[in-house]
Amino acid sequence: MALRKPITTTIAIHPLAPKQPRTGEPCNGCGVCCLAFPCPLGMVLSLKRMGCCSALRWSDTDKRYLCGAISDARSTLPWGLKWLAPRLSQVARRWIASGIGCDTKSAFID
């Protein structure tokens, strides 16, 4: 059986982003997970499985990344589906398990 090669990717993180929390600690908006691998909702919105999620937003005010599906759902949807924004914002928090805890692999932590 052949061993799989580990996936190596370089991500560009905002210089003011907070340090990534340990796995299971509350999300602090570091952006690491969304910059590397979109969640299932992010895959649908971004139409890709790897790389930066198109719904990811940087907040200059909060100095952290935010999920656009929650903070600005209208901007994450294509023109014909913008009417779904209020519902998306409601359900996105549950879909991405917002506030439950960091689930990015600890290997991302330096």
Side-chain angles (χ1 to χ4, degrees):
M1 180 169 93
L3 295 175
R4 285 186 161 180
K5 199 180 211 185
I7 297 172
T8 303
T9 187
T10 301
I11 57 176
I13 300 175
H14 194 285
L16 298 177
K19 185 172 171 66
Q20 182 187 5
R22 299 257 174 228
T23 301
E25 291 179 353
C27 175
N28 65 2
C30 74
V32 171
C33 53
C34 303
L35 288 164
F37 303 100
C39 70
L41 175 60
M43 288 181 202
V44 171
L45 295 172
S46 298
L47 300 177
K48 60 184 174 181
R49 295 179 62 192
M50 293 182 67
C52 183
C53 176
S54 66
L56 188 63
R57 304 288 185 264
W58 172 257
S59 169
D60 281 323
T61 304
D62 298 330
K63 304 286 188 274
R64 57 179 263 147
Y65 286 98
L66 302 172
C67 176
I70 295 171
S71 66
D72 186 18
R74 191 168 168 78
S75 74
T76 65
L77 294 168
W79 181 83
L81 298 177
K82 297 223 184 264
W83 61 273
L84 284 171
R87 183 70 177 138
L88 175 61
S89 188
Q90 286 176 342
V91 297
R93 195 174 311 291
R94 180 173 172 90
W95 286 349
I96 67 168
S98 175
I100 301 301
C102 182
D103 63 358
T104 302
K105 303 291 185 232
S106 295
F108 284 123
I109 299 172
D110 40 20

